[in-house]
Amino acid sequence: DMRVLVVGPTENPWCVGYGGMERIAGLVVRGLLDRGVEVTAIAPEGSALDSRASVIECTRLENIQGEMLAYLRGKGLLRAKRFDALLDFSHTHLFRRHGLTDGWVKRSWSWMFHDPYGRPKATHSQYGGIMAISEWQRERLERYQGIESTLLDIICVDETAYAYAETPNCGRWVCLGVVCPEKGALETAQMFKAIGIGLDVVGPTPIEHQNIADSVVSIQAETKGLILFHGEVSEAEKLRIMRASAGLIYLPQWPEPAGEPHNMKVAEALCLGLPVVMLDRGSLSEVFGLMVGAHLAVDAEEAEDMITTASHLPLEGESRAEISSAAFKAWGLRAVMDRLMGVLEGP
């Protein structure tokens, strides 16, 4: 039987609350188990992982400190067990960067979840197995860091939790994501205040960006709840808000030439059958441009026009059921695992 080790971020528990990278790692664990793979995961305490997996719990700490402690905690067991493959979804890729897997893992791959522009070079690239989640990201890894990578879109969505269901549309839109300058929560709240359409803003606020959350709360007071700031909510509450919404709005504010290499919340919204209006930044036109239900705007003015004339969303021929069906073919967990197993079982 194939044995696979999965490592990932250590700051937040996997599959609990906010965290796209954490959710992907947890879903991949389940997907591998469903394919008969023996899986060991090194995950932060409090993670909600499939009970069939062997889990080495680690202390919840940021990036390199947390990942080093995770390695120290598990290295004895790991070296005794040996693995056919390591899948690394972490921030620092520490396991691979210093050759810590040499001798007890046959092959390893790591995924980048950020724009390579302006970031330190991925020094573990000397070991190969660098995976990109979009062609845009793959090209930028080569241009800005001189790294060759392979495109394998690992963004995946739970077919059960995000299964399409007919739900009354409350007429309000939803804005999801970390409250920070790059994600555009404040700009979105200001737009919806100006056009008088309801908006739910959902996502955690890092302490250094509390001023942005405070500004959104001020808009909530000014609009008497037309704009609502929920902060971080449970996965069940997030799904409730999304299912009842008119659609997802995403206005990324990355300063040029930075951009989005992919976006998990857009994939999740489309899988639910929601229309999505978003600014075209980074890879978004490449990844979502031809997807049913995805509407890309060149600037905020065009996005506003799409929202204010949203009676045409979904477009004719774009029922919510059809949006969901098309999205799951791209990002449903089973479809993504087909792609991943092709790599694991390949030469």
Side-chain angles (χ1 to χ4, degrees):
D1 291 339
M2 183 184 295
R3 288 179 173 177
V4 173
L5 172 66
V6 178
V7 299
T10 57
E11 184 175 4
N12 298 304
W14 299 2
C15 299
V16 178
Y18 180 83
M21 294 166 66
E22 292 84 354
R23 191 168 305 282
I24 290 167
L27 285 171
V28 168
V29 167
R30 187 209 304 171
L32 289 169
L33 291 165
D34 288 343
R35 303 296 176 108
V37 176
E38 182 183 331
V39 181
T40 298
I42 301 181
E45 52 199 4
S47 297
L49 294 179
D50 192 299
S51 61
R52 295 170 293 172
S54 298
V55 180
I56 300 173
E57 286 196 337
C58 61
T59 305
R60 290 179 56 184
L61 289 170
E62 288 187 61
N63 296 342
I64 192 165
Q65 184 181 10
E67 290 175 29
M68 176 57 80
L69 287 176
Y71 172 74
L72 293 174
R73 175 169 290 187
K75 69 176 182 179
L77 171 63
L78 298 178
R79 286 178 172 169
K81 195 169 187 177
R82 309 287 173 141
F83 290 89
D84 297 294
L86 163 69
L87 304 182
D88 188 342
F89 303 111
S90 67
H91 284 284
T92 65
H93 304 288
L94 179 67
F95 278 71
R96 302 192 66 217
R97 193 168 68 201
H98 298 301
L100 300 182
T101 61
D102 290 356
W104 48 271
V105 173
K106 292 180 182 177
R107 297 190 297 168
S108 59
W109 294 270
S110 55
W111 275 262
M112 308 292 176
F113 291 93
H114 304 291
D115 180 0
Y117 171 77
R119 290 182 175 269
K121 183 174 181 179
T123 54
H124 66 293
S125 60
Q126 62 181 299
Y127 301 105
I130 308 297
M131 312 302 281
I133 55 176
S134 64
E135 177 61 28
W136 179 89
Q137 187 194 50
R138 188 205 63 76
E139 186 274 332
R140 288 165 79 85
L141 277 166
E142 185 171 357
R143 185 199 314 175
Y144 293 119
Q145 298 195 6
I147 293 174
E148 292 187 4
S149 60
T150 301
L151 173 59
L152 196 157
D153 184 353
I154 199 69
I155 301 294
C156 51
V157 179
D158 185 335
E159 288 103 342
T160 302
Y162 285 79
Y164 174 74
E166 289 285 349
T167 307
N169 175 355
C170 70
R172 300 174 61 85
W173 287 70
V174 61
C175 168
L176 297 175
V178 174
V179 177
C180 64
E182 295 82 7
K183 300 296 183 177
L186 178 57
E187 290 79 3
T188 304
Q190 291 168 335
M191 173 190 290
F192 276 73
K193 173 188 172 183
I195 60 181
I197 294 176
L199 177 71
D200 293 290
V201 180
V202 178
T205 304
I207 188 65
E208 64 268 25
H209 300 309
Q210 185 60 45
N211 62 313
I212 299 177
D214 293 342
S215 296
V216 176
V217 171
S218 295
I219 293 174
Q220 173 178 292
E222 294 166 12
T223 61
K224 297 180 170 54
L226 183 69
I227 312 301
L228 282 177
F229 179 64
H230 298 263
E232 185 169 12
V233 300
S234 67
E235 178 69 4
E237 179 64 4
K238 183 187 87 170
L239 277 167
R240 184 196 67 78
I241 293 170
M242 292 179 74
R243 286 187 184 281
S245 72
L248 175 75
I249 174 72
Y250 181 41
L251 305 178
Q253 303 292 309
W254 295 99
E256 295 291 348
E260 286 276 0
H262 205 313
N263 198 269
M264 187 168 183
K265 61 178 169 275
V266 175
E268 290 179 337
L270 291 168
C271 284
L272 284 173
L274 299 181
V276 177
V277 171
M278 54 190 160
L279 289 182
D280 186 6
R281 294 291 186 272
S283 74
L284 298 186
S285 59
E286 170 209 329
V287 177
F288 301 105
L290 299 178
M291 182 60 58
V292 176
H295 303 272
L296 289 134
V298 296
D299 53 29
E301 183 178 352
E302 185 176 12
E304 182 176 319
D305 288 342
M306 289 178 175
I307 296 295
T308 54
T309 58
S311 58
H312 73 281
L313 295 178
L315 295 174
E316 185 177 351
E318 288 186 354
S319 73
R320 290 197 170 203
E322 289 166 333
I323 293 173
S324 175
S325 176
F328 271 121
K329 289 177 183 176
W331 299 292
L333 180 57
R334 285 188 292 271
V336 174
M337 291 310 302
D338 285 342
R339 299 195 289 265
L340 179 59
M341 292 305 295
V343 171
L344 294 179
E345 295 173 343

